[in-house]
Amino acid sequence: MFKKTPLASAVGAITAAALAAVPVQAQEDAPGASEEVEEMIVTGSRIRRAVDDSPSPVTVIERAEIEMTGLESVADVLRSTTYNSFGSFRERSGTSFGQIALIDLRGLGPDRTAVLVNGRRVPGNPFTGSASVDLNSIPLSAIERIEILTDSASAIYGTDALGGVVNVILRDDYEGVEMKFGAANPQRAGAEEDNLSFSWGSAGEKGNLLFTAEWFTRNPIFDGDRDYSKVDVRDPGDGTRPNLGVDTTGVSAGGNTAFHPWFAAAEAIGDCPMDVYAGIVEDPFGIPGTACGFGYADISAQTGGLDRISTFLTGSYEWTPGHELFMDNRYSRISSFGRYAPAVGFFSVPHDSPHNPFDTSLASYPKDANGVPLDFSVFHRFVAHGPRDDDTVRYEFDTAVGGRGSFEFANPINYEAYARFYRYEGAEEGETYILQSQVELEVEAGNYDLTNPFSRDPVNLAAVGRMGATLFRDILTDYTSAGVTFDGFAWNLPAGPIGWAAGAETASEEYMDDYDSYREAGNILGSAGNSSGGDRSRSAIFGEVSIPVLDNLEASVAGRFDSYDDFGDAFSPQVAVRYSPFQMLVLRASWGEGFKAPNLTELYQSRSQSFNDTTDVFRCAAIGIDPCPTNQVENFTGGNPDLDAETAESFNLGIVVQPLESLSFSIDAYQITIEDSVAQLGIGTVLRLEQEGRLPSGVAVRRGAPTQAGDPGALVSIDRVFANLAIQDVSGYDLRAQYDWETADWGRLAFNLTISRIEAYEFTPSPGEDVVDLVGLEGNPQHRAIFNVQWDFDRYTVAYYLRVIDEHEGAGNGMYERHFSQDITAATLLPWGGELTLGIRNLMDEDPAYDLVNGYDDSFVLPLYDVAGRTPFMSYRHTF
């Protein structure tokens, strides 16, 4: 083991600077003495060591640092770190994910970031059907610290750790009673927060017990309450009603529109009254003609509402000296709400309907083999049914019991054994969706008034009632696991003893996602999905050794063998080195291989329908349309049974320097290469690959008939299922710097800076094809940075945070500008045992960045930016 120096102590302090800091002051060793440093299991290794000694980059966010940010959820804390490179899924309204929140290290995908609680993996969330973990289920009041390993770690933790590891360490040593309440009230409508927590802990000679409970609620934000996302029609047209053209926000062509059977033309149905629709849209989805536009953003919610109750209970009992029993239990109940605009969708209408605007007598009109004209399609917004509201409730129950301690042999051997049961249940109810088969019957019979859905005619009202549907979804994950780990030191070498760890674990998982029969039959407009389920069992053995080659050189070797009952076997090795040639310098390097089996839903998930804004720059360039319009496009996501496993190779090279006792910094360069990478491509990426003729297997773009030479055809729909992208290569570096300035009369100032840069984010859609680099393109900023200054004086602490997200290109000629946000927090200890914290998030009330040419797109804005606006907050804690 390394001797502790000022530099060694500074390494841990540097890693804590990623989010904020309550800095750790490095101190010189007393003459003839060595510094006492607690050794523990640190994320990225199973050998007990100080965090300072880790050969891999580990960022530690302590409880006090989290409290100074004023953030009240684990998701918000992790989302604001620079390692969340391209953002991550937040509590969005109206999605099949039920307003969960995820973390996505290095932009490699949330199911390639392993999330642990007390070192044990949290199973994937059944709403996503993947290894992604819902961070909202982890109670913030129970957290002692969060450790983020920004290096691949499959050799330690197995699959899903390709992008890194987040390990949430929960409290276990608190004594006393603590109450806390707080609130946040944005100056714009929506996202109001309230929270309340209670903690009680007791300890005796042989054991301890800790219980925490918390309640957290956050209101939704509606699109109409933000200037950048509300309905905005800027083209006045002919002066009588807007001719929307291309210059709009929050408006889609999904109002009331007839489409030619071959999608060669479109025509608005009826007069498109302004009290129902948003005017005439030209060339809907790029198809020649007109459509009734609809201002969906006047109704839809931008982010979902959330209400969470969480508890945590932990205890330990020393049943004999050196050996204790332990128990951890987490419970969460989360209810959430999301809203979409009224359902919209395509359905078939008989060719002889009076609503058919196309001349069926023309020779060019499509006909079947018997010469009968084909039916046409209507894209209709069911405004009379009202908005689609989704209400979700989910429960998480996680219990682990076991024992730990130490055996005395020639050298002590530590052990920990556990058994665990985990259950995640969810139920979702969706109101005011539409039965497609019933719509077609009602329209054919003339009962439903397509041109006046709000008609009070009893026949129309009865038809509206018969067409509506309430949707249901039940999901469940049962996960059981058990494991044992041994670690210790043995075989003394001249530079010290060899550290070692070894163990085994087994786990089994059952997954169910049960949709209502309407959606299983593909009979719903405005939603889609099919039931799915499966089970999987795995077992693993692992080992690790840490060899002190010299007093200042340590090498670590780790390996893990995983066996899956439905997939096969995999071996993951890792080698790491830590070298300190002199007191002010530490060098560290690691290499490893890993794998990831496809998620069950990646293989077998049924297709789901959605409509998203996109700009078809391919077609615009081909036929000379400028400016290029933005329209909603029907797209389908789902599984791909042709998937292979992912394999990965990772490198990390770091340097830590402490030129002065009060100044230290580190830089870590990394490269992660994933072969046969599985991903669900964004619409813009699919269209770019289509233009280049390089669509992966299973991904498809459907277009209408060409209107002229060189025209690829109007965009009709897209299949963007999961696909193996052959090679995904991500490289970059993280820079951390810290400076502490002690004053005799005015306390201490601490300065912290973290910069993360993605140097390259490349993938090759299939072997032998050209590399595509996505860095700097839409949704993929190259840099993220956080600068923090904190002043501690007597009972007072003041902190300032500056967060920066780099610019990135939008569609066509669009651009997302560089984004700055600032937070300020002040805290004081009160004489009667209380602590008051006041602050403002987004001090300057900055809007999120959005495409300056094509406008707001929630799929890029929400993962990356805070959308609440200027948010004053306060909290009060009282200790009894």
Side-chain angles (χ1 to χ4, degrees), residues 152-237:
S152 289
S154 290
I156 306 298
Y157 301 109
T159 186
D160 310 329
L162 303 185
V165 179
V166 173
N167 190 7
V168 180
I169 309 299
L170 302 181
R171 304 167 72 181
D172 63 1
D173 60 353
Y174 178 74
E175 290 188 64
V177 177
E178 178 183 283
M179 292 285 296
K180 178 190 172 186
F181 64 87
N185 188 21
Q187 293 186 330
R188 309 186 194 191
E192 296 86 0
E193 296 178 5
D194 293 291
N195 63 86
L196 177 67
S197 65
F198 167 81
S199 300
W200 172 85
S202 179
E205 291 184 2
K206 287 186 170 287
N208 62 71
L209 192 64
L210 171 65
F211 173 77
T212 70
E214 72 176 37
W215 168 70
F216 173 80
T217 182
R218 177 187 289 153
N219 291 337
I221 298 173
F222 287 89
D223 284 310
D225 289 332
R226 297 293 184 269
D227 289 339
Y228 52 81
S229 59
K230 69 181 182 181
V231 171
D232 186 12
V233 179
R234 296 177 293 275
D235 183 347

Side-chain angles (χ1 to χ4, degrees), residues 565-622:
D565 66 342
D566 64 339
F567 184 77
D569 303 332
F571 176 71
S572 303
Q574 185 180 57
V575 177
V577 176
R578 184 180 187 276
Y579 177 51
S580 181
F582 44 89
Q583 190 180 53
M584 65 174 289
L585 178 66
V586 169
L587 305 175
R588 58 191 178 202
S590 64
W591 166 88
E593 291 183 346
F595 90 106
K596 184 182 184 301
N599 299 315
L600 294 174
T601 51
E602 289 176 341
L603 293 167
Y604 307 119
Q605 184 184 57
S606 299
R607 294 204 319 170
S608 295
Q609 176 198 45
S610 62
F611 294 86
N612 299 92
D613 288 338
T614 191
T615 305
D616 190 0
V617 293
F618 179 22
R619 186 168 190 251
C620 289

Side-chain angles (χ1 to χ4, degrees), residues 729-812:
D729 199 339
V730 180
S731 61
Y733 63 78
D734 300 311
L735 170 68
R736 312 171 186 90
Q738 177 187 18
Y739 177 66
D740 290 348
W741 181 29
E742 289 278 4
T743 69
D745 300 320
W746 294 99
R748 182 178 66 173
L749 278 170
F751 302 85
N752 298 282
L753 174 67
T754 304
I755 300 174
S756 293
R757 172 187 171 94
I758 301 290
E759 191 68 36
Y761 191 93
E762 302 174 338
F763 70 86
T764 308
S766 57
E769 295 188 354
D770 294 337
V771 174
V772 179
D773 191 348
L774 298 180
V775 170
L777 300 182
E778 194 163 24
N780 302 326
Q782 186 164 45
H783 297 95
R784 293 190 66 166
I786 298 174
F787 175 67
N788 162 236
V789 180
Q790 183 163 305
W791 176 48
D792 298 303
F793 177 68
D794 195 24
R795 292 174 172 267
Y796 304 97
T797 299
V798 179
Y800 166 82
Y801 308 88
L802 172 64
R803 309 177 196 276
V804 184
I805 299 177
D806 203 6
E807 64 184 10
H808 45 109
E809 296 180 15

Side-chain angles (χ1 to χ4, degrees), residues 235-260:
D235 183 347
D238 60 8
T240 59
R241 65 181 180 188
N243 186 317
L244 301 184
V246 298
D247 198 14
T248 62
T249 296
V251 178
S252 80
N256 199 21
T257 309
F259 285 88
H260 187 273

